[in-house]
Amino acid sequence: MKFKSVFDIIGPVMIGPSSSHTAGAARIGRVARTLFGREPKWVTVHLYGSFAKTYKGHGTDVAIVGGVLDFETWDTRISTSLELAKEKGIKVHFEEEDAHTDHPNTARVRIGDDDGDLELVGISIGGGKAEITELNGFELRLSGNHPAILVMHNDRFGSIASVTQTLAKHEINIGHMEVSRKEMGKEALMVIEVDQNVSDDLLRELESCDHILQVAKVVD
């Protein structure tokens, strides 16, 4: 199993004991929560490499779940995140995997509820940094040097144009953009790097564009 890295999510202050196994892991969980857009009813985490071998002792489990609960890396509630998730009725399951990955600190996180689910792959690269390499089966390719927007949409005529025209209207310049789909006419993903920060109001306007399913700002 091979995962390619794409973008950097830089973490500030963090809870120990390990930046790779806690702060970076918390960031992976929090990106999953951000993209899902709401509190899930269940969380399944597949751990690979070093994560699989040491996740309990190094706090990777509580860090990822803390991120899913939308806690910042410095939030002391992370240490009790498993108990807090149980109190909220969120079912949490961890799987230790033997498959080889390019990076030893790799996690595949699936979260969901009665209305839908989301899956992503993330790696923790140290110093509180994490990279997301895959989203719902789509490989991501971002430099990590600029703000990024992920747009899930139906593969329909005009969907890409409506997004780019909206960005142009607000004088947002696109530095890099890729579009991928699994099957013609089905779900597709736009990955857009821009030169300026994108406001929440603009994200809501993008969500109102034709055939758009979900919009998320991943890098600020």
Side-chain angles (χ1 to χ4, degrees):
M1 185 181 296
K2 297 181 69 177
F3 304 127
K4 299 176 182 177
S5 64
V6 282
F7 61 82
D8 232 353
I9 304 159
I10 300 175
V13 181
M14 63 189 181
I15 292 177
S18 163
S19 63
S20 295
H21 288 246
T22 52
R27 292 232 160 233
I28 293 170
R30 195 155 189 245
V31 170
R33 168 63 181 268
T34 298
L35 296 178
F36 191 58
R38 57 190 182 274
E39 187 173 275
K41 289 188 175 181
W42 54 265
V43 181
T44 300
V45 183
H46 298 263
L47 300 168
Y48 302 85
S50 179
F51 268 1
K53 296 175 182 177
T54 63
Y55 72 97
K56 290 183 178 179
H58 284 187
T60 305
D61 50 354
V62 296
I64 290 177
V65 173
V68 170
L69 293 178
D70 208 23
F71 298 160
E72 293 278 6
T73 56
W74 44 261
D75 196 318
T76 56
R77 291 177 295 174
I78 284 179
S79 61
T80 58
S81 63
L82 294 176
E83 291 84 355
L84 292 172
K86 186 175 181 180
E87 290 174 5
K88 290 173 174 284
I90 302 173
K91 296 180 180 179
V92 178
H93 179 67
F94 286 89
E95 287 280 353
E96 302 168 22
E97 302 288 355
D98 295 325
H100 174 74
T101 58
D102 287 346
H103 195 281
N105 298 330
T106 299
R108 180 180 293 275
V109 180
R110 293 187 64 238
I111 64 176
D113 58 17
D114 296 338
D115 297 320
D117 57 58
L118 174 144
E119 178 179 279
L120 62 74
V121 175
I123 62 175
S124 178
I125 60 175
K129 298 178 181 180
E131 295 177 356
I132 306 303
T133 64
E134 185 180 311
L135 172 63
N136 286 345
F138 293 101
E139 285 192 2
L140 303 183
R141 298 181 182 88
L142 294 175
S143 69
N145 297 321
H146 302 282
I149 307 169
L150 303 183
V151 183
M152 300 298 298
H153 62 100
N154 289 318
D155 182 31
R156 298 287 190 276
F157 175 82
S159 57
I160 296 172
S162 64
V163 169
T164 56
Q165 288 169 5
T166 299
L167 293 175
K169 182 178 70 174
H170 290 270
E171 299 184 346
I172 301 294
N173 190 53
I174 297 174
H176 175 79
M177 178 175 179
E178 291 190 8
V179 181
S180 58
R181 64 185 183 184
K182 298 177 184 177
E183 185 179 345
M184 184 173 65
K186 302 295 184 180
E187 190 177 75
L189 173 67
M190 288 182 237
V191 181
I192 307 169
E193 285 186 333
V194 295
D195 293 337
Q196 303 99 321
N197 283 324
V198 177
S199 68
D200 291 340
D201 287 340
L202 177 52
L203 291 182
R204 285 189 286 270
E205 186 173 345
L206 289 172
E207 286 183 332
S208 69
C209 291
D210 294 340
H211 310 301
I212 303 306
L213 303 174
Q214 182 184 7
V215 178
K217 177 175 60 176
V218 184
V219 180
D220 262 313

